[in-house]
Amino acid sequence: MTVAITPYLRKVLLLDAVVSGAAGAMMAAGAGLLGPLLGLPAGLLFWAGLALLTWTALLYALARRESVSRLVLLDVVLVNVAWVLASLGILAFGLVEPNALGVVYVVAQALAVALFAALQAAALRQAREAAV
């Protein structure tokens, strides 16, 4: 089943792409500086940043379409939820030991991604089936 990309859904996807792209560029390019500042492994920041840049391209491509498979949009929501769970999980299970600023950074980006997941889920519920 395909759904039309409504103006609201397009804006949410594009805003997610802009924020993800900015965070990804900052993390990938600045991993060496951010790592010590946040108490997070530079390698984690670098590879997470590259993943975000790839994610940005996908979100931008989806936002430019007139309609998309409902399952693809559901996958976008689920990937965002997985990012939130992974971000909080690495803190909860002690996989990283950031300083206080690093904890704030990880939690803040997880909350931002959770907001995008909620906005995208709401938009998906409201989207009408495309006449395809």
Side-chain angles (χ1 to χ4, degrees):
M1 174 181 347
T2 60
V3 294
I5 300 292
T6 63
Y8 173 73
L9 179 54
R10 179 171 281 111
K11 287 176 187 173
V12 170
L13 290 170
L14 287 173
L15 184 58
D16 191 354
V18 168
V19 171
S20 295
M26 177 183 70
M27 290 165 61
L33 296 173
L34 288 174
L37 179 66
L38 302 174
L40 291 166
L44 173 66
L45 292 168
F46 176 77
W47 290 107
L50 286 184
L52 284 174
L53 292 175
T54 303
W55 182 244
T56 298
L58 173 69
L59 292 172
Y60 181 73
L62 291 175
R64 292 184 43 91
R65 297 180 55 103
E66 294 299 318
S67 64
V68 177
S69 164
R70 185 173 193 82
L71 287 177
V72 170
L73 292 175
L74 181 59
D75 287 343
V76 168
V77 173
L78 294 176
V79 167
N80 276 335
V81 169
W83 184 278
V84 172
L85 293 175
S87 296
L88 298 177
I90 65 169
L91 294 177
F93 294 112
L95 299 175
V96 295
E97 296 178 4
N99 58 30
L101 185 58
V103 171
V104 169
Y105 177 79
V106 171
V107 171
Q109 61 84 27
L111 290 174
V113 174
L115 175 63
F116 284 123
L119 292 172
Q120 291 158 349
L124 184 55
R125 280 192 298 274
Q126 295 173 355
R128 294 186 208 127
E129 288 187 32
V132 177

